[in-house]
Amino acid sequence: MYGGLTFCTNGYGAFFNYGKHKGAYNLRQFNVDFLFVKHEKEIKMPNQNDPNARSYFYGKQNNFYVIRPAYGHKHIMTEKSRKNGVQVSYNWQFGPDLGFTKPVYLEIAYQVPNSPNKYYLQTEKFDSDKHFFDNIYGRASGFLGFRELKFHPGAFFKFAFSFEYNSYRDRLTSLEVGASADVYARRIPIMAEKILSEDVSNPQNHRVFLALYLNFYFGAKYNFK
Protein backbone atom coordinates (compact mmCIF):
# COMPACT_ATOMS: atom_id res chain seq x y z
CA MET A 1 0.00 0.00 0.00
CA TYR A 2 1.29 3.43 -0.83
CA GLY A 3 0.21 6.99 -1.57
CA GLY A 4 1.70 10.29 -2.57
CA LEU A 5 1.56 13.42 -4.69
CA THR A 6 1.18 13.71 -8.44
CA PHE A 7 2.22 16.63 -10.65
CA CYS A 8 0.83 16.74 -14.19
CA THR A 9 1.38 19.04 -17.15
CA ASN A 10 -2.26 20.09 -16.69
CA GLY A 11 -2.67 20.02 -12.91
CA TYR A 12 -1.76 18.33 -9.65
CA GLY A 13 -3.21 16.10 -6.97
CA ALA A 14 -2.78 13.06 -4.74
CA PHE A 15 -3.39 9.32 -4.97
CA PHE A 16 -3.64 6.07 -3.01
CA ASN A 17 -2.73 2.60 -4.31
CA TYR A 18 -3.27 -0.95 -3.10
CA GLY A 19 -1.46 -3.80 -4.86
CA LYS A 20 -1.41 -7.56 -4.48
CA HIS A 21 1.30 -9.86 -5.82
CA LYS A 22 0.17 -12.36 -8.47
CA GLY A 23 3.55 -14.05 -8.75
CA ALA A 24 7.11 -12.91 -8.10
CA TYR A 25 7.17 -10.09 -10.65
CA ASN A 26 3.53 -9.12 -11.22
CA LEU A 27 1.03 -7.19 -9.12
CA ARG A 28 -2.66 -6.49 -9.50
CA GLN A 29 -3.36 -2.87 -8.53
CA PHE A 30 -6.30 -0.77 -7.37
CA ASN A 31 -5.78 2.97 -7.35
CA VAL A 32 -7.64 6.23 -6.67
CA ASP A 33 -6.45 9.60 -8.00
CA PHE A 34 -7.72 12.98 -6.78
CA LEU A 35 -6.81 15.68 -9.30
CA PHE A 36 -7.24 19.40 -9.89
CA VAL A 37 -7.13 19.93 -13.67
CA LYS A 38 -6.23 23.26 -15.31
CA HIS A 39 -6.67 24.78 -18.78
CA GLU A 40 -3.53 25.88 -20.61
CA LYS A 41 -4.93 29.42 -21.01
CA GLU A 42 -5.19 30.05 -17.27
CA ILE A 43 -3.03 33.09 -16.44
CA LYS A 44 -2.85 34.39 -12.87
CA MET A 45 -3.75 38.10 -12.69
CA PRO A 46 -2.89 40.28 -9.66
CA ASN A 47 -4.78 43.42 -8.70
CA GLN A 48 -2.47 46.24 -9.80
CA ASN A 49 -4.03 48.75 -7.38
CA ASP A 50 -4.26 46.68 -4.20
CA PRO A 51 -1.55 44.14 -3.30
CA ASN A 52 -3.82 42.72 -0.59
CA ALA A 53 -6.34 41.46 -3.14
CA ARG A 54 -6.24 37.77 -4.03
CA SER A 55 -4.99 37.05 -7.54
CA TYR A 56 -7.42 35.44 -10.00
CA PHE A 57 -7.50 33.76 -13.41
CA TYR A 58 -9.22 36.04 -15.88
CA GLY A 59 -11.76 34.22 -17.99
CA LYS A 60 -11.86 31.11 -15.82
CA GLN A 61 -15.45 29.99 -15.47
CA ASN A 62 -15.11 26.75 -13.49
CA ASN A 63 -12.65 24.82 -11.37
CA PHE A 64 -12.38 21.20 -12.49
CA TYR A 65 -11.88 18.34 -10.03
CA VAL A 66 -11.47 14.68 -10.98
CA ILE A 67 -11.69 11.42 -9.04
CA ARG A 68 -10.20 8.45 -10.91
CA PRO A 69 -10.79 4.96 -9.45
CA ALA A 70 -8.65 2.52 -11.40
CA TYR A 71 -7.71 -1.10 -11.96
CA GLY A 72 -4.24 -1.92 -13.22
CA HIS A 73 -1.22 -4.15 -13.52
CA LYS A 74 2.41 -3.68 -12.46
CA HIS A 75 5.34 -5.71 -13.77
CA ILE A 76 8.76 -5.68 -12.09
CA MET A 77 11.44 -5.51 -14.78
CA THR A 78 14.56 -5.48 -12.60
CA GLU A 79 14.82 -6.19 -8.88
CA LYS A 80 17.05 -4.40 -6.41
CA SER A 81 20.17 -6.58 -6.46
CA ARG A 82 21.67 -4.81 -3.45
CA LYS A 83 20.57 -2.59 -0.59
CA ASN A 84 21.22 0.65 -2.45
CA GLY A 85 19.95 -0.57 -5.81
CA VAL A 86 16.90 0.55 -7.79
CA GLN A 87 13.90 -1.59 -8.74
CA VAL A 88 12.47 -0.68 -12.16
CA SER A 89 8.86 -1.49 -13.04
CA TYR A 90 6.19 -0.51 -15.53
CA ASN A 91 2.47 -0.32 -14.92
CA TRP A 92 -0.78 0.49 -16.66
CA GLN A 93 -4.14 1.52 -15.23
CA PHE A 94 -7.59 2.35 -16.56
CA GLY A 95 -10.97 3.26 -15.17
CA PRO A 96 -13.79 5.83 -15.06
CA ASP A 97 -13.30 9.57 -14.73
CA LEU A 98 -15.61 11.21 -12.20
CA GLY A 99 -15.24 14.87 -13.10
CA PHE A 100 -16.88 17.81 -11.31
CA THR A 101 -16.95 21.49 -12.26
CA LYS A 102 -17.43 24.17 -9.62
CA PRO A 103 -18.20 27.81 -10.58
CA VAL A 104 -15.56 30.46 -9.94
CA TYR A 105 -16.60 33.33 -7.68
CA LEU A 106 -14.92 36.74 -7.70
CA GLU A 107 -14.95 39.93 -5.65
CA ILE A 108 -16.35 42.67 -7.90
CA ALA A 109 -15.81 46.39 -7.19
CA TYR A 110 -18.77 48.77 -7.59
CA GLN A 111 -18.76 52.53 -7.22
CA VAL A 112 -20.73 53.96 -4.31
CA PRO A 113 -23.55 56.15 -5.70
CA ASN A 114 -22.73 59.87 -5.60
CA SER A 115 -19.23 59.09 -4.29
CA PRO A 116 -16.84 58.77 -7.25
CA ASN A 117 -13.84 57.87 -5.09
CA LYS A 118 -15.51 55.20 -2.98
CA TYR A 119 -16.18 51.56 -3.88
CA TYR A 120 -17.74 48.53 -2.29
CA LEU A 121 -17.14 44.83 -2.99
CA GLN A 122 -19.70 42.26 -3.95
CA THR A 123 -19.15 38.51 -4.39
CA GLU A 124 -20.44 37.22 -7.73
CA LYS A 125 -20.11 34.19 -9.96
CA PHE A 126 -17.85 35.03 -12.91
CA ASP A 127 -19.77 36.33 -15.93
CA SER A 128 -17.78 37.13 -19.06
CA ASP A 129 -20.44 39.66 -20.12
CA LYS A 130 -20.22 41.71 -16.91
CA HIS A 131 -16.81 41.19 -15.33
CA PHE A 132 -13.63 42.70 -16.79
CA PHE A 133 -10.16 43.78 -15.71
CA ASP A 134 -11.45 47.18 -14.59
CA ASN A 135 -14.07 45.89 -12.11
CA ILE A 136 -12.63 42.58 -10.85
CA TYR A 137 -11.05 43.16 -7.43
CA GLY A 138 -9.85 39.61 -6.78
CA ARG A 139 -10.73 35.98 -6.19
CA ALA A 140 -13.43 35.13 -3.66
CA SER A 141 -13.38 32.21 -1.22
CA GLY A 142 -12.69 28.82 -2.79
CA PHE A 143 -15.44 27.29 -0.62
CA LEU A 144 -18.15 29.03 -2.66
CA GLY A 145 -19.90 27.09 -5.40
CA PHE A 146 -19.84 23.55 -4.01
CA ARG A 147 -23.64 23.46 -4.05
CA GLU A 148 -23.47 24.03 -7.80
CA LEU A 149 -21.24 21.11 -8.72
CA LYS A 150 -21.90 19.54 -12.12
CA PHE A 151 -20.93 15.98 -12.97
CA HIS A 152 -18.91 15.10 -16.07
CA PRO A 153 -18.38 11.35 -16.71
CA GLY A 154 -15.46 10.03 -18.67
CA ALA A 155 -12.75 7.36 -18.83
CA PHE A 156 -8.97 7.32 -18.66
CA PHE A 157 -5.87 5.22 -19.32
CA LYS A 158 -2.32 5.76 -18.12
CA PHE A 159 1.06 4.08 -18.49
CA ALA A 160 4.20 4.69 -16.44
CA PHE A 161 7.64 3.53 -15.37
CA SER A 162 8.48 3.53 -11.66
CA PHE A 163 11.83 3.56 -9.89
CA GLU A 164 11.84 2.25 -6.32
CA TYR A 165 14.94 3.15 -4.32
CA ASN A 166 14.18 2.50 -0.62
CA SER A 167 16.99 0.65 1.17
CA TYR A 168 14.53 -1.53 3.15
CA ARG A 169 12.70 -4.40 1.44
CA ASP A 170 9.45 -3.87 3.37
CA ARG A 171 9.17 -0.14 2.60
CA LEU A 172 8.37 1.82 -0.53
CA THR A 173 9.87 5.08 -1.71
CA SER A 174 9.55 5.65 -5.41
CA LEU A 175 9.45 8.00 -8.35
CA GLU A 176 7.05 7.34 -11.22
CA VAL A 177 7.06 8.95 -14.67
CA GLY A 178 4.20 8.41 -17.10
CA ALA A 179 1.54 9.65 -19.50
CA SER A 180 -2.25 9.71 -19.24
CA ALA A 181 -5.27 10.24 -21.47
CA ASP A 182 -8.68 11.33 -20.12
CA VAL A 183 -11.74 11.36 -22.40
CA TYR A 184 -15.11 12.92 -21.50
CA ALA A 185 -18.50 12.83 -23.15
CA ARG A 186 -18.52 16.64 -23.56
CA ARG A 187 -16.08 19.53 -23.50
CA ILE A 188 -15.30 20.64 -19.96
CA PRO A 189 -16.19 24.37 -19.56
CA ILE A 190 -13.13 25.47 -17.58
CA MET A 191 -12.70 28.75 -19.48
CA ALA A 192 -15.49 31.04 -20.67
CA GLU A 193 -16.15 30.54 -24.39
CA LYS A 194 -16.32 34.30 -24.99
CA ILE A 195 -12.83 34.78 -23.58
CA LEU A 196 -11.41 31.91 -25.64
CA SER A 197 -12.97 33.31 -28.84
CA GLU A 198 -11.04 36.56 -28.37
CA ASP A 199 -7.68 34.72 -28.44
CA VAL A 200 -6.02 34.73 -31.88
CA SER A 201 -4.63 31.22 -31.31
CA ASN A 202 -8.23 29.90 -31.28
CA PRO A 203 -8.02 27.76 -28.11
CA GLN A 204 -10.92 25.60 -26.94
CA ASN A 205 -12.19 23.83 -23.89
CA HIS A 206 -11.31 20.15 -24.11
CA ARG A 207 -13.05 16.82 -23.94
CA VAL A 208 -9.73 14.94 -24.33
CA PHE A 209 -6.91 15.70 -21.88
CA LEU A 210 -3.43 14.35 -22.64
CA ALA A 211 -0.78 14.82 -19.97
CA LEU A 212 2.62 13.78 -18.71
CA TYR A 213 2.88 13.23 -14.98
CA LEU A 214 5.36 12.69 -12.19
CA ASN A 215 4.46 10.83 -8.99
CA PHE A 216 6.30 10.86 -5.70
CA TYR A 217 5.10 8.19 -3.31
CA PHE A 218 5.91 6.24 -0.18
CA GLY A 219 4.36 3.30 1.60
CA ALA A 220 5.02 -0.24 2.83
CA LYS A 221 4.88 -3.89 1.77
CA TYR A 222 2.88 -6.34 3.88
CA ASN A 223 2.69 -10.12 4.01
CA PHE A 224 -0.91 -10.92 4.96
CA LYS A 225 -1.49 -14.45 6.22
Side-chain angles (χ1 to χ4, degrees):
M1 289 187 291
Y2 58 86
L5 301 176
T6 181
F7 301 92
C8 315
T9 51
N10 62 351
Y12 55 88
F15 65 94
F16 175 79
N17 185 287
Y18 170 78
K20 186 175 183 180
H21 271 282
K22 309 303 288 185
Y25 300 103
N26 295 287
L27 292 91
R28 179 183 300 163
Q29 293 188 313
F30 302 92
N31 188 82
V32 180
D33 292 332
F34 304 91
L35 299 175
F36 176 68
V37 180
K38 301 189 296 181
H39 192 280
E40 68 272 13
K41 287 297 180 179
E42 292 185 29
I43 300 176
K44 184 174 288 189
M45 305 293 298
N47 187 316
Q48 300 294 338
N49 299 316
D50 189 346
N52 295 318
R54 301 174 69 187
S55 57
Y56 62 96
F57 297 94
Y58 181 70
K60 185 168 184 176
Q61 184 176 347
N62 291 290
N63 291 317
F64 186 41
Y65 307 98
V66 180
I67 302 173
R68 299 196 304 199
Y71 168 83
H73 176 87
K74 181 177 182 178
H75 176 73
I76 300 172
M77 300 169 63
T78 61
E79 289 189 293
K80 288 186 289 188
S81 58
R82 58 188 185 278
K83 187 174 182 180
N84 294 322
V86 176
Q87 176 180 291
V88 181
S89 310
Y90 71 81
N91 69 81
W92 52 260
Q93 297 179 1
F94 70 93
D97 268 320
L98 310 178
F100 298 89
T101 52
K102 181 180 75 69
V104 170
Y105 277 80
L106 300 172
E107 297 286 348
I108 308 301
Y110 288 99
Q111 184 177 327
V112 176
N114 303 319
S115 300
N117 296 321
K118 292 184 179 180
Y119 297 84
Y120 67 94
L121 299 179
Q122 186 165 305
T123 301
E124 298 181 3
K125 186 192 305 185
F126 175 71
D127 186 337
S128 58
D129 292 324
K130 299 194 311 182
H131 304 146
F132 307 98
F133 293 109
D134 57 353
N135 64 1
I136 297 176
Y137 175 77
R139 190 173 76 254
S141 171
F143 293 104
L144 297 173
F146 278 105
R147 293 184 178 181
E148 303 170 74
L149 290 176
K150 291 185 179 180
F151 177 57
H152 301 271
F156 83 96
F157 176 83
K158 63 180 181 179
F159 180 87
F161 289 96
S162 59
F163 306 90
E164 181 189 328
Y165 51 86
N166 199 295
S167 299
Y168 298 93
R169 295 183 62 85
D170 60 344
R171 299 179 189 176
L172 277 169
T173 305
S174 186
L175 173 70
E176 183 175 290
V177 181
S180 64
D182 298 75
V183 181
Y184 297 91
R186 298 181 181 138
R187 294 185 185 275
I188 307 301
I190 297 177
M191 301 293 291
E193 294 292 341
K194 180 180 179 180
I195 302 301
L196 292 179
S197 66
E198 296 172 354
D199 194 312
V200 294
S201 63
N202 193 31
Q204 294 182 326
N205 284 310
H206 307 295
R207 61 181 296 267
V208 177
F209 293 81
L210 303 177
L212 300 176
Y213 70 88
L214 182 66
N215 285 352
F216 296 95
Y217 61 80
F218 59 91
K221 301 176 183 178
Y222 298 91
N223 185 18
F224 293 106
K225 294 182 180 181

Short mmCIF file of all heavy atoms in Angstrom, two decimals, residues 139-174:
data_model
loop_
_atom_site.label_atom_id
_atom_site.label_comp_id
_atom_site.label_asym_id
_atom_site.label_seq_id
_atom_site.Cartn_x
_atom_site.Cartn_y
_atom_site.Cartn_z
N ARG A 139 -10.06 37.27 -6.32
CA ARG A 139 -10.73 35.98 -6.19
C ARG A 139 -11.46 35.90 -4.87
O ARG A 139 -10.95 36.32 -3.82
CB ARG A 139 -9.69 34.86 -6.30
CG ARG A 139 -10.28 33.45 -6.41
CD ARG A 139 -9.20 32.42 -6.69
NE ARG A 139 -8.40 32.11 -5.51
CZ ARG A 139 -7.17 32.53 -5.31
NH1 ARG A 139 -6.57 33.30 -6.20
NH2 ARG A 139 -6.50 32.20 -4.21
N ALA A 140 -12.66 35.34 -4.89
CA ALA A 140 -13.43 35.13 -3.66
C ALA A 140 -13.04 33.80 -3.03
O ALA A 140 -12.16 33.09 -3.52
CB ALA A 140 -14.92 35.17 -3.98
N SER A 141 -13.69 33.44 -1.94
CA SER A 141 -13.38 32.21 -1.22
C SER A 141 -13.55 30.99 -2.12
O SER A 141 -14.52 30.88 -2.89
CB SER A 141 -14.29 32.07 0.00
OG SER A 141 -14.14 30.80 0.59
N GLY A 142 -12.61 30.04 -2.01
CA GLY A 142 -12.69 28.82 -2.79
C GLY A 142 -13.77 27.86 -2.30
O GLY A 142 -14.05 26.86 -2.97
N PHE A 143 -14.39 28.14 -1.14
CA PHE A 143 -15.44 27.29 -0.62
C PHE A 143 -16.80 27.59 -1.26
O PHE A 143 -17.75 26.83 -1.08
CB PHE A 143 -15.55 27.44 0.90
CG PHE A 143 -14.36 26.91 1.63
CD1 PHE A 143 -13.41 27.77 2.15
CD2 PHE A 143 -14.17 25.54 1.80
CE1 PHE A 143 -12.29 27.28 2.83
CE2 PHE A 143 -13.07 25.04 2.47
CZ PHE A 143 -12.11 25.92 2.98
N LEU A 144 -16.89 28.69 -2.00
CA LEU A 144 -18.15 29.03 -2.66
C LEU A 144 -18.34 28.17 -3.91
O LEU A 144 -17.38 27.88 -4.62
CB LEU A 144 -18.15 30.51 -3.05
CG LEU A 144 -18.08 31.52 -1.90
CD1 LEU A 144 -17.93 32.94 -2.45
CD2 LEU A 144 -19.33 31.43 -1.03
N GLY A 145 -19.58 27.79 -4.17
CA GLY A 145 -19.90 27.09 -5.40
C GLY A 145 -20.04 25.59 -5.29
O GLY A 145 -20.42 24.93 -6.27
N PHE A 146 -19.76 25.00 -4.13
CA PHE A 146 -19.84 23.55 -4.01
C PHE A 146 -21.27 23.03 -4.12
O PHE A 146 -21.48 21.86 -4.44
CB PHE A 146 -19.20 23.08 -2.70
CG PHE A 146 -17.71 22.95 -2.79
CD1 PHE A 146 -16.88 23.90 -2.19
CD2 PHE A 146 -17.12 21.90 -3.47
CE1 PHE A 146 -15.50 23.80 -2.27
CE2 PHE A 146 -15.74 21.79 -3.56
CZ PHE A 146 -14.93 22.74 -2.96
N ARG A 147 -22.25 23.88 -3.86
CA ARG A 147 -23.64 23.46 -4.05
C ARG A 147 -24.05 23.46 -5.51
O ARG A 147 -25.15 23.01 -5.86
CB ARG A 147 -24.57 24.38 -3.26
CG ARG A 147 -24.42 24.27 -1.74
CD ARG A 147 -25.44 25.14 -1.03
NE ARG A 147 -25.33 25.02 0.42
CZ ARG A 147 -26.11 25.67 1.29
NH1 ARG A 147 -27.08 26.47 0.81
NH2 ARG A 147 -25.95 25.50 2.58
N GLU A 148 -23.16 23.94 -6.37
CA GLU A 148 -23.47 24.03 -7.80
C GLU A 148 -22.59 23.09 -8.64
O GLU A 148 -22.37 23.32 -9.81
CB GLU A 148 -23.27 25.47 -8.27
CG GLU A 148 -24.10 26.49 -7.51
CD GLU A 148 -23.70 27.92 -7.82
OE1 GLU A 148 -24.04 28.38 -8.93
OE2 GLU A 148 -23.04 28.56 -6.98
N LEU A 149 -22.08 22.05 -8.00
CA LEU A 149 -21.24 21.11 -8.72
C LEU A 149 -22.02 20.45 -9.86
O LEU A 149 -23.19 20.11 -9.72
CB LEU A 149 -20.73 20.02 -7.77
CG LEU A 149 -19.70 20.41 -6.72
CD1 LEU A 149 -19.40 19.21 -5.83
CD2 LEU A 149 -18.42 20.91 -7.37
N LYS A 150 -21.33 20.26 -10.99
CA LYS A 150 -21.90 19.54 -12.12
C LYS A 150 -21.01 18.36 -12.46
O LYS A 150 -19.79 18.47 -12.48
CB LYS A 150 -22.04 20.47 -13.33
CG LYS A 150 -23.11 21.53 -13.14
CD LYS A 150 -23.31 22.35 -14.41
CE LYS A 150 -24.39 23.40 -14.22
NZ LYS A 150 -24.60 24.21 -15.45
N PHE A 151 -21.65 17.23 -12.74
CA PHE A 151 -20.93 15.98 -12.97
C PHE A 151 -20.60 15.80 -14.45
O PHE A 151 -21.42 16.05 -15.32
CB PHE A 151 -21.80 14.82 -12.47
CG PHE A 151 -21.20 13.46 -12.73
CD1 PHE A 151 -19.94 13.14 -12.25
CD2 PHE A 151 -21.90 12.51 -13.44
CE1 PHE A 151 -19.39 11.89 -12.47
CE2 PHE A 151 -21.36 11.26 -13.67
CZ PHE A 151 -20.10 10.95 -13.18
N HIS A 152 -19.37 15.34 -14.70
CA HIS A 152 -18.91 15.10 -16.07
C HIS A 152 -18.26 13.72 -16.13
O HIS A 152 -17.11 13.54 -15.68
CB HIS A 152 -17.90 16.17 -16.50
CG HIS A 152 -18.43 17.56 -16.46
ND1 HIS A 152 -19.07 18.17 -17.52
CD2 HIS A 152 -18.45 18.48 -15.45
CE1 HIS A 152 -19.42 19.38 -17.19
NE2 HIS A 152 -19.06 19.59 -15.94
N PRO A 153 -18.95 12.71 -16.66
CA PRO A 153 -18.38 11.35 -16.71
C PRO A 153 -17.38 11.20 -17.84
O PRO A 153 -17.45 11.89 -18.86
CB PRO A 153 -19.61 10.48 -16.95
CG PRO A 153 -20.54 11.36 -17.73
CD PRO A 153 -20.33 12.76 -17.19
N GLY A 154 -16.45 10.30 -17.64
CA GLY A 154 -15.46 10.03 -18.67
C GLY A 154 -14.71 8.75 -18.36
O GLY A 154 -15.12 7.95 -17.50
N ALA A 155 -13.59 8.53 -19.04
CA ALA A 155 -12.75 7.36 -18.83
C ALA A 155 -11.30 7.75 -19.07
O ALA A 155 -11.02 8.74 -19.76
CB ALA A 155 -13.16 6.22 -19.75
N PHE A 156 -10.38 6.98 -18.49
CA PHE A 156 -8.97 7.32 -18.66
C PHE A 156 -8.10 6.06 -18.76
O PHE A 156 -8.52 4.95 -18.41
CB PHE A 156 -8.48 8.18 -17.48
CG PHE A 156 -8.09 7.38 -16.27
CD1 PHE A 156 -6.76 7.03 -16.03
CD2 PHE A 156 -9.05 6.95 -15.37
CE1 PHE A 156 -6.41 6.28 -14.93
CE2 PHE A 156 -8.71 6.20 -14.25
CZ PHE A 156 -7.37 5.87 -14.03
N PHE A 157 -6.90 6.26 -19.27
CA PHE A 157 -5.87 5.22 -19.32
C PHE A 157 -4.54 5.89 -19.07
O PHE A 157 -4.31 7.02 -19.52
CB PHE A 157 -5.85 4.53 -20.69
CG PHE A 157 -4.74 3.51 -20.82
CD1 PHE A 157 -4.89 2.23 -20.33
CD2 PHE A 157 -3.53 3.86 -21.43
CE1 PHE A 157 -3.87 1.29 -20.44
CE2 PHE A 157 -2.51 2.93 -21.54
CZ PHE A 157 -2.68 1.64 -21.05
N LYS A 158 -3.65 5.22 -18.33
CA LYS A 158 -2.32 5.76 -18.12
C LYS A 158 -1.27 4.65 -18.08
O LYS A 158 -1.58 3.50 -17.73
CB LYS A 158 -2.25 6.63 -16.86
CG LYS A 158 -2.52 5.93 -15.55
CD LYS A 158 -2.42 6.93 -14.41
CE LYS A 158 -2.66 6.28 -13.06
NZ LYS A 158 -2.54 7.24 -11.94
N PHE A 159 -0.06 5.02 -18.45
CA PHE A 159 1.06 4.08 -18.49
C PHE A 159 2.28 4.78 -17.91
O PHE A 159 2.50 5.97 -18.17
CB PHE A 159 1.35 3.64 -19.92
CG PHE A 159 2.50 2.68 -20.05
CD1 PHE A 159 2.28 1.32 -19.92
CD2 PHE A 159 3.79 3.13 -20.28
CE1 PHE A 159 3.33 0.41 -20.02
CE2 PHE A 159 4.84 2.24 -20.37
CZ PHE A 159 4.62 0.88 -20.24
N ALA A 160 3.08 4.04 -17.12
CA ALA A 160 4.20 4.69 -16.44
C ALA A 160 5.32 3.70 -16.13
O ALA A 160 5.11 2.48 -16.09
CB ALA A 160 3.73 5.35 -15.15
N PHE A 161 6.49 4.25 -15.91
CA PHE A 161 7.64 3.53 -15.37
C PHE A 161 7.88 4.04 -13.96
O PHE A 161 7.81 5.25 -13.71
CB PHE A 161 8.89 3.75 -16.22
CG PHE A 161 8.84 3.07 -17.57
CD1 PHE A 161 8.43 3.79 -18.70
CD2 PHE A 161 9.18 1.73 -17.70
CE1 PHE A 161 8.38 3.18 -19.93
CE2 PHE A 161 9.13 1.11 -18.94
CZ PHE A 161 8.73 1.83 -20.06
N SER A 162 8.21 3.13 -13.04
CA SER A 162 8.48 3.53 -11.66
C SER A 162 9.87 3.04 -11.24
O SER A 162 10.34 1.99 -11.69
CB SER A 162 7.42 2.99 -10.70
OG SER A 162 7.36 1.58 -10.75
N PHE A 163 10.47 3.82 -10.34
CA PHE A 163 11.83 3.56 -9.89
C PHE A 163 11.82 3.58 -8.36
O PHE A 163 11.74 4.65 -7.74
CB PHE A 163 12.80 4.61 -10.45
CG PHE A 163 12.73 4.73 -11.95
CD1 PHE A 163 11.84 5.63 -12.54
CD2 PHE A 163 13.51 3.94 -12.77
CE1 PHE A 163 11.75 5.75 -13.91
CE2 PHE A 163 13.45 4.06 -14.15
CZ PHE A 163 12.56 4.96 -14.72
N GLU A 164 11.90 2.39 -7.77
CA GLU A 164 11.84 2.25 -6.32
C GLU A 164 13.26 2.19 -5.76
O GLU A 164 14.07 1.37 -6.19
CB GLU A 164 11.07 0.99 -5.94
CG GLU A 164 10.93 0.78 -4.45
CD GLU A 164 10.37 -0.58 -4.12
OE1 GLU A 164 9.56 -1.10 -4.93
OE2 GLU A 164 10.75 -1.13 -3.07
N TYR A 165 13.56 3.04 -4.78
CA TYR A 165 14.94 3.15 -4.32
C TYR A 165 15.08 3.06 -2.80
O TYR A 165 16.12 3.40 -2.26
CB TYR A 165 15.57 4.45 -4.82
CG TYR A 165 14.74 5.69 -4.54
CD1 TYR A 165 14.84 6.37 -3.33
CD2 TYR A 165 13.85 6.18 -5.50
CE1 TYR A 165 14.09 7.50 -3.09
CE2 TYR A 165 13.10 7.30 -5.26
CZ TYR A 165 13.22 7.96 -4.06
OH TYR A 165 12.47 9.08 -3.83
N ASN A 166 14.06 2.62 -2.08
CA ASN A 166 14.18 2.50 -0.62
C ASN A 166 15.16 1.40 -0.26
O ASN A 166 15.18 0.34 -0.89
CB ASN A 166 12.82 2.22 0.00
CG ASN A 166 12.79 2.53 1.48
OD1 ASN A 166 13.48 1.89 2.26
ND2 ASN A 166 12.00 3.53 1.86
N SER A 167 15.97 1.62 0.76
CA SER A 167 16.99 0.65 1.17
C SER A 167 16.40 -0.55 1.90
O SER A 167 17.06 -1.59 2.03
CB SER A 167 18.04 1.32 2.06
OG SER A 167 18.70 2.37 1.37
N TYR A 168 15.14 -0.44 2.39
CA TYR A 168 14.53 -1.53 3.15
C TYR A 168 13.51 -2.27 2.28
O TYR A 168 12.71 -1.65 1.59
CB TYR A 168 13.84 -0.97 4.40
CG TYR A 168 14.81 -0.29 5.34
CD1 TYR A 168 15.03 1.09 5.26
CD2 TYR A 168 15.51 -1.01 6.30
CE1 TYR A 168 15.92 1.72 6.10
CE2 TYR A 168 16.40 -0.39 7.16
CZ TYR A 168 16.61 0.98 7.05
OH TYR A 168 17.48 1.61 7.89
N ARG A 169 13.53 -3.59 2.34
CA ARG A 169 12.70 -4.40 1.44
C ARG A 169 11.22 -4.29 1.77
O ARG A 169 10.38 -4.55 0.91
CB ARG A 169 13.14 -5.87 1.53
CG ARG A 169 14.55 -6.12 1.00
CD ARG A 169 14.89 -7.59 1.03
NE ARG A 169 14.01 -8.37 0.18
CZ ARG A 169 14.21 -8.54 -1.13
NH1 ARG A 169 15.25 -7.97 -1.73
NH2 ARG A 169 13.38 -9.26 -1.84
N ASP A 170 10.87 -3.93 3.00
CA ASP A 170 9.45 -3.87 3.37
C ASP A 170 8.89 -2.45 3.27
O ASP A 170 7.76 -2.20 3.70
CB ASP A 170 9.24 -4.42 4.78
CG ASP A 170 10.02 -3.64 5.85
OD1 ASP A 170 10.94 -2.89 5.47
OD2 ASP A 170 9.69 -3.79 7.04
N ARG A 171 9.65 -1.51 2.73
CA ARG A 171 9.17 -0.14 2.60
C ARG A 171 9.22 0.30 1.14
O ARG A 171 9.96 -0.26 0.33
CB ARG A 171 10.01 0.81 3.45
CG ARG A 171 9.95 0.49 4.94
CD ARG A 171 10.82 1.46 5.73
NE ARG A 171 10.94 1.03 7.13
CZ ARG A 171 11.69 1.66 8.02
NH1 ARG A 171 12.39 2.73 7.68
NH2 ARG A 171 11.77 1.20 9.27
N LEU A 172 8.45 1.31 0.83
CA LEU A 172 8.37 1.82 -0.53
C LEU A 172 8.69 3.31 -0.56
O LEU A 172 8.07 4.09 0.17
CB LEU A 172 6.97 1.61 -1.11
CG LEU A 172 6.64 0.24 -1.70
CD1 LEU A 172 5.15 0.15 -1.96
CD2 LEU A 172 7.40 0.03 -2.99
N THR A 173 9.62 3.68 -1.37
CA THR A 173 9.87 5.08 -1.71
C THR A 173 10.19 5.09 -3.19
O THR A 173 11.13 4.42 -3.61
CB THR A 173 11.04 5.68 -0.91
OG1 THR A 173 10.82 5.50 0.48
CG2 THR A 173 11.19 7.16 -1.22
N SER A 174 9.41 5.82 -3.97
CA SER A 174 9.55 5.65 -5.41
C SER A 174 9.23 6.92 -6.17
O SER A 174 8.55 7.82 -5.68
CB SER A 174 8.62 4.52 -5.87
OG SER A 174 8.81 4.23 -7.23
#
